[in-house]
């Protein structure tokens, strides 16, 4: 039962840990589906970051002597499932922009979650945790920017599936 801010904090760290575990399975699939080399690199880079983020959350739990109990992140599971469904429905010409859509939703969820947990750590005075969470939050923000730059600097400016706009 979650009775205190500390309890909520630990619960959320466990949930983030589960979310990152789920992403370890999803990111290689996104990378394999991508056609654009820059997009493949973003997914590959984020996979490496996800390993680090998972380890950081594990360190935080160890520091607090909290077991890494599986607190399934149903939001991440839902976003991955929704992304899988979208990928099945896409034609070849919009696969990469569709993958960016999927990835951005997941990254934005990560930003929101890490941001909230950062606020909890700050409120609770967990300075060492705060540094680790900030690293994760910065990485998520950088991934968001890289995805946005690929989309706006490439796909959208080059007129991907321009015939759809003409309808």
């Amino acid at each position: 039962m979650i009775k205190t801010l500390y309890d909520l904090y630990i619960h959320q760290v466990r949930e983030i840990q589960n979310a990152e575990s789920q992403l370890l399975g999803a990111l290689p699939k996104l990378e394999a589906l991508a056609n654009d080399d820059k997009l493949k690199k973003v997914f590959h880079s984020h996979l490496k970051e996800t390993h680090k983020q998972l380890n950081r959350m594990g360190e935080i739990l160890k520091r607090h002597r909290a077991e890494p109990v599986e607190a399934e992140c149903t939001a991440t599971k839902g976003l991955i499932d929704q992304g899988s469904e979208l990928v099945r429905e896409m034609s070849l010409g919009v696969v990469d922009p569709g993958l960016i859509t999927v990835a951005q939703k997941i990254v934005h969820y990560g930003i929101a979650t890490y941001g909230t947990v950062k606020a909890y750590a700050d409120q609770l005075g967990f300075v060492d945790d705060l540094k680790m969470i900030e690293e994760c939050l910065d990485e998520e923000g950088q991934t968001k920017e890289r995805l946005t730059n690929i989309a706006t600097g490439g796909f959208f400016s080059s007129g991907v599936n321009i015939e759809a706009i003409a309808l």
Side-chain angles (χ1 to χ4, degrees):
M1 177 166 284
I2 300 170
K3 294 181 181 181
T4 66
L5 181 60
Y6 178 77
D7 295 340
L8 180 59
Y9 173 72
I10 294 299
H11 180 272
Q12 290 301 292
V13 170
R14 287 174 173 151
E15 190 173 285
I16 290 171
Q17 190 179 44
N18 179 265
E20 299 299 0
S21 292
Q22 290 181 53
L23 288 178
L24 290 180
L27 284 166
K29 294 174 186 174
L30 294 174
E31 182 181 355
L33 289 168
N35 296 305
D36 183 79
D37 287 337
K38 290 178 186 174
L39 186 55
K40 284 181 176 290
K41 287 178 185 176
V42 169
F43 290 140
H44 188 75
S45 172
H46 197 58
L47 179 63
K48 290 179 182 179
E49 291 170 352
T50 299
H51 280 286
K52 292 177 190 174
Q53 292 166 351
L54 184 63
N55 288 336
R56 287 182 199 123
M57 294 305 103
E59 286 181 42
I60 288 172
L61 291 174
K62 282 180 191 174
R63 183 177 297 129
H64 294 278
R65 292 183 175 88
E67 294 295 318
V69 176
E70 284 297 315
E72 183 180 50
C73 181
T74 56
T76 298
K77 182 180 182 327
L79 289 169
I80 290 169
D81 290 347
Q82 182 186 46
S84 296
E85 181 64 30
L86 179 64
V87 167
R88 283 191 293 275
E89 294 178 19
M90 290 186 297
S91 67
L92 190 58
V94 293
V95 167
D96 286 345
L99 293 175
I100 290 173
T101 299
V102 170
Q104 284 284 33
K105 288 179 181 184
I106 292 169
V107 167
H108 279 260
Y109 176 77
I111 290 169
T113 306
Y114 279 118
T116 301
V117 171
K118 177 185 170 191
Y120 297 164
D122 186 41
Q123 186 67 34
L124 293 164
F126 298 147
V127 177
D128 292 334
D129 294 3
L130 194 58
K131 291 175 186 175
M132 296 172 81
I133 295 164
E134 285 173 343
E135 287 180 67
C136 296
L137 190 54
D138 288 345
E139 290 165 351
E140 294 293 327
Q142 291 168 15
T143 298
K144 177 188 85 71
E145 288 301 316
R146 288 192 301 261
L147 290 167
T148 299
N149 289 339
I150 291 170
T152 59
F155 301 126
F156 302 141
S157 65
S158 67
V160 164
N161 209 12
I162 198 73
E163 60 274 5
I165 296 170
L167 295 177

